[in-house]
Amino acid sequence: MNLLGDLTTIGNSDEVVEVFNTNQERPMDAPSGTGKPTLSITDNRTGKTYEVKIEHDTIQATDLRQIKVNADDFGLMTYDPAFMNTASCKSTITYIDGDKGILHYRGYPIEQLAERCSYLEVAYLLIRGELPNKEQLDDWTTHIFAHTYAHENFKKLLEGFRHDAHPMGMFISALASLSTLYPCANRIGDPKERELAAYRLIAKAPTLAAFIYRRSMGFPYAHPDNSLSYAGNFLNMMYRIGEIKYAPHPVLEKTLDVLFILHADHEQNCSTSTMRGVGSSHVDPYSAAAGASAALYGNLHGGANEAVLRMLDEVGSVDKIPAFIKDVKEGKGRLMGFGHRVYKNYDPRASIIKRLADQVFAITGRNPKLDIALELERIALQDDYFIKRKLYPNVDFYSGLIYQAMQFPVAMFPVLFALGRMSGWIAQWAEMITDSEQKIARPRQIYLGHAKRDVPLLIQRS
Ligand code: ACO
């Protein structure tokens, strides 16, 4: 019997290394530990025992490399596709407790930030580490608004796309093209260049997004109005037609700002890991942000808000929901906007968005798809399939309904997600660049291909 707790095996049955999980409760008859923050590992191939340090409930993967069968052996690795249990960085930015449905930015609960702060304050918090005072906020806002105008070349860039190009494809390209306009941004070791890139990315992303929308619609481009708020200016660039001065509806302006806050960061998600991974090669942050946006575009990540709306259209009416849920349970598709790698409880952002939806619909009129969404949620939360797998609505389940009520085309939804996430990407990228423990991201692989063999001539190949 294993006296120390659960036994996990790595490798095949005749090559066993025992790893004792010190987090598990010990059996009653087991000896108590020494309290020493280490992990003892016995390699049953050699009979050798190793002791590795535990810090922050984690062991260093490279400590396993000392575990070898002989001197020529490369040493033990861990295998973790999709990074299910691997921390790739130490971070002080965002904290998530997925079981309890908790999300904090720099220690502040998301609910309080959404209620008491503007998006630009939250962006400052994420990037600089603390909330700004009035003077700091004014300075931050002035610097960002100084960069809202986009180079006239963007119009030409966008005109090169087909009329029906997806906005996210255009957005990714537009971000990447910023690196051609600001080549000094590749001096990533210079704090001044990093700061300038942060201002530019936060300031220009909404301008590029609005230009993309205008290009898709065939509307004339509307330039920034720096007297408006961050969200108000974005609405102005999206929707101003003919007015000398655009006045955003205050509730819709506030809602959009809150949505940006809710999307601002979410620790090491797919797009943020991409931002860090691409940035780890020391490329400029515009190129890294283009990579992060590409990662966000997928249906399993930020593209889910668009996919939810398309799914609600496909379901069509409340009476079709049982058949749709049956198909999902049979593996014929996924309930988009449900499930999360980290949250095994209600996503706290989804709760806030659900409340925001009522305020928006009071102005815009109720989105008829809300009834389908509410009923889908009600049925799913009572169904064993979803309960057993701990699948709850995530941030994308209700956000699209609000965006649609605010007249954003469905294809623009992932771009809206990217606008909010930009500050988080920058904060995480800057943290990575200034972290002395970080190096170029370069995972290992388990090679299972052919051993060395000779290349046959073409005529010899069957
Ligand atoms: N609908 C139906 N079944 C689901 C769903 C879903 N939305 N999500 C997960 N499952 C099932 C899987 O089929 C699997 O079942 P199984 O154990 O019988 O094979 C189980 O739940 C675990 O799912 P995984 O795919 O292993 O979970 P993972 O952590 O890898 O994926 C993800 C998380 C990608 C978010 C997934 O839940 C999903 O595809 N959701 C729908 C897309 C979506 O809403 N994405 C947005 C996420 S939030 C964000 O990125 C901003």
Side-chain angles (χ1 to χ4, degrees):
M1 190 177 84
N2 165 30
L3 295 179
L4 291 177
D6 275 2
L7 179 77
T8 310
T9 59
I10 301 170
N12 62 33
S13 53
D14 40 56
E15 284 190 343
V16 178
V17 174
E18 295 174 357
V19 179
F20 302 105
N21 182 347
T22 52
N23 282 334
Q24 300 293 313
E25 240 176 62
R26 289 163 202 285
M28 292 293 284
D29 57 347
S32 60
T34 59
K36 212 171 152 196
T38 61
L39 179 71
S40 296
I41 302 169
T42 302
D43 184 345
N44 293 327
R45 298 171 301 179
T46 59
K48 280 195 193 159
T49 294
Y50 303 82
E51 196 170 330
V52 297
K53 205 163 95 185
I54 299 174
E55 200 180 5
H56 311 295
D57 287 335
T58 307
I59 59 161
Q60 289 268 352
T62 46
D63 282 351
L64 299 180
R65 288 276 289 280
Q66 61 182 304
I67 303 177
K68 297 180 179 199
V69 175
N70 55 52
D72 295 338
D73 189 355
F74 179 77
L76 209 64
M77 294 192 301
T78 54
Y79 177 57
D80 189 8
F83 307 111
M84 299 287 286
N85 195 38
T86 296
S88 62
C89 63
K90 292 174 185 161
S91 182
T92 59
I93 302 171
T94 290
Y95 171 76
I96 302 175
D97 183 330
D99 291 329
K100 297 199 181 106
I102 287 172
L103 170 60
H104 295 167
Y105 296 161
R106 303 269 188 199
Y108 295 116
I110 189 70
E111 294 80 3
Q112 289 182 24
L113 290 168
E115 204 179 300
R116 298 179 193 170
C117 297
S118 68
Y119 174 70
L120 286 187
E121 286 171 78
V122 170
Y124 185 103
L125 170 72
L126 290 170
I127 294 167
R128 297 250 168 108
E130 291 296 341
L131 282 168
N133 61 27
K134 171 85 176 70
E135 199 184 320
Q136 289 164 329
L137 180 62
D138 287 348
D139 182 66
W140 175 247
T141 308
T142 305
H143 274 97
I144 287 174
F145 273 97
H147 292 280
T148 50
Y149 272 72
H151 197 290
E152 283 293 298
N153 271 4
F154 276 112
K155 295 176 185 169
K156 288 192 201 132
L157 176 81
L158 297 181
E159 264 133 44
F161 285 94
R162 247 173 62 152
H163 68 280
D164 57 353
H166 194 286
M168 199 60 175
M170 292 196 266
F171 186 70
I172 293 165
S173 306
L175 283 180
S177 75
L178 284 171
S179 73
T180 66
L181 294 169
Y182 308 110
C184 290
N186 67 4
R187 291 192 210 135
I188 47 105
D190 180 347
K192 285 255 169 310
E193 285 297 340
R194 290 202 298 271
E195 186 171 50
L196 198 51
Y199 292 142
R200 285 194 178 122
L201 276 166
I202 296 171
K204 291 188 198 302
T207 312
L208 302 181
F211 275 23
I212 285 164
Y213 165 74
R214 295 257 172 181
R215 153 79 180 128
S216 304
M217 302 298 286
F219 295 159
Y221 298 108
H223 287 287
D225 178 348
N226 290 346
S227 68
L228 294 171
S229 73
Y230 187 76
N233 173 48
F234 177 55
L235 291 171
N236 154 68
M237 292 187 289
M238 286 286 295
Y239 298 130
R240 189 177 77 212
I241 296 266
E243 304 102 312
I244 293 168
K245 174 96 187 155
Y246 179 83
H249 192 293
V251 174
L252 302 186
E253 181 185 6
K254 174 71 189 156
T255 300
L256 190 59
D257 200 64
V258 173
L259 286 168
F260 287 158
I261 292 173
L262 299 182
H263 287 89
D265 196 48
H266 214 232
E267 49 119 311
Q268 307 313 314
N269 56 84
C270 180
S271 57
T272 302
S273 305
T274 305
M275 182 84 191
R276 280 177 173 264
V278 175
S280 76
S281 74
H282 288 187
V283 75
D284 67 90
Y286 305 112
S287 302
S293 298
L296 188 74
Y297 189 7
N299 276 354
L300 298 187
H301 191 15
N305 54 15
E306 181 180 352
V308 168
L309 257 285
R310 300 205 190 283
M311 173 191 76
L312 295 176
D313 278 339
E314 189 192 315
V315 174
S317 57
V318 169
D319 57 305
K320 306 254 174 54
I321 290 175
F324 177 77
I325 293 278
K326 184 168 168 283
D327 282 352
V328 168
K329 286 160 57 176
E330 284 170 6
K332 291 181 190 156
R334 288 205 161 185
L335 178 51
M336 299 312 287
F338 257 68
H340 200 275
R341 170 63 58 79
V342 181
Y343 291 121
K344 301 302 168 197
N345 200 329
Y346 216 98
D347 182 335
R349 302 167 300 174
S351 314
I352 300 170
I353 291 178
K354 218 171 151 184
R355 286 199 297 277
L356 282 178
D358 291 333
Q359 295 166 29
V360 171
F361 296 155
I363 290 148
T364 61
R366 192 178 161 87
N367 189 326
K369 292 185 197 103
L370 178 66
D371 293 329
I372 305 174
L374 287 170
E375 185 62 5
L376 268 175
E377 180 188 334
R378 192 189 67 78
I379 292 183
L381 293 184
Q382 291 176 0
D383 192 298
D384 261 3
Y385 174 95
F386 296 90
I387 294 170
K388 227 171 77 194
R389 291 169 178 77
K390 298 188 176 169
L391 301 172
Y392 292 86
N394 59 48
V395 68
D396 288 320
F397 194 63
Y398 288 105
S399 60
L401 291 169
I402 300 183
Y403 292 144
Q404 196 171 48
M406 291 174 76
Q407 309 293 319
F408 289 106
V410 175
M412 279 293 288
F413 295 180
V415 178
L416 298 172
F417 193 144
L419 296 186
R421 186 54 57 89
M422 190 59 75
S423 53
W425 287 336
I426 296 164
Q428 299 269 355
W429 167 79
E431 189 178 61
M432 181 269 303
I433 291 294
T434 52
D435 179 348
S436 61
E437 289 186 8
Q438 289 293 336
K439 286 170 177 275
I440 187 166
R442 205 318 187 170
R444 294 279 171 183
Q445 65 164 6
I446 299 171
Y447 178 70
L448 298 176
H450 290 282
K452 178 179 176 277
R453 50 187 181 155
D454 292 325
V455 177
L457 297 175
L458 184 60
I459 50 162
Q460 295 171 322
R461 294 175 222 158
S462 56

